[in-house]
Amino acid sequence: MKQLLGIVSIALLIASCGTKQKVSKTKNTEKMELTNKEKSLALLESLETGDKSTIAYINPTKYKQHNLAVADGLEGFGAVLQNAPEGGFKANVVRSFQDGDYTFSHTIYDFFGPKVGFDIFRYENGQIVEHWDNLSDIAPVNPSNRTQTDGSTTLLDIDKTQDNKELVKDFINTVLVNGGFDKMGNYFDGDTYIQHNSMIGDGLSGLGKALEEMAKNGITMVYEKNHIVLGEGNFVLAVSEGQFAGKHTSFYDLFRIENGKIAEHWDVMETIAPASEHKNSNGKFNF
């Protein structure tokens, strides 16, 4: 994993030969191309396995990086691998989804320390051309004894994907961006909401207690703009921008929808570093 030149050379060689896997048919077998979701899963897991063949899923000439701590392009990706700690990275993908040209994954990392994160990849012609993520340190269980990643992983209701995306988009904009907290009840089935935020307990009552406690301590959480909503079936990810405790913050919120209501929530908040510390100029969002 520390041989950057070797990694880049492999990627360029693969790209020059054409990386899109074609369907090859014989008399008795048919080999199918991997889905973009499967490619993203393999790439993330390769951080742990060291499988360099997954570099073929990245377009070596168009790869744009939105993790502001990583340099742009395939060279930046290779530099991260080159600086892996002894023993390498660890990556356990808990949930993975696909929405059109985008994939999004929920992952437990040992990435310069234990972390939880979301990764978004955008594909063109079967290759990754853009990457966004949000990372935070692993936290202890929340007041309801839930972790940041446990809970449901079952993908359902593919036919309801668009309706579920619209529900989450409306919730983010109506309640979190525009402050319509009196309308909270419209999006939940009573107080049966399952919460995985490390500071908040289950239900709307748990959220209310947490907000009250934050207010007592002078801590504010403000959503200013929703940038994108992605979904597959009953899982929807919203990426938003705002302020937490007075710091410029990126909010990634994953929701599970059940019977037209928000039933479960996971999130990762990341403080956005000042421009002087950015290693690329692509911005944290810019979808």
Side-chain angles (χ1 to χ4, degrees), residues 9 25 28 44 57 62 80-81 87 91 122 155 202 246 249 262 265-266 268 277:
S9 296
K25 298 181 181 180
N28 299 312
L44 291 171
Y57 304 145
K62 294 184 65 176
V80 171
L81 300 185
R122 185 174 69 84
L155 181 61
D202 284 350
T249 300
I262 295 172
H265 170 253
W266 302 260
V268 169
E277 299 178 15

Side-chain angles (χ1 to χ4, degrees), residues 11 38 96 134 152 193 205 218 225 238 247 260 268 287:
E38 290 169 333
S96 190
N134 238 34
S152 178
Y193 175 49
S205 57
K225 182 179 180 179
K247 295 180 180 180
V268 169
F287 289 94

Side-chain angles (χ1 to χ4, degrees), residues 171-182:
F171 168 70
I172 294 290
N173 287 318
T174 299
V175 176
L176 299 182
V177 175
N178 294 318
F181 292 100
D182 58 321

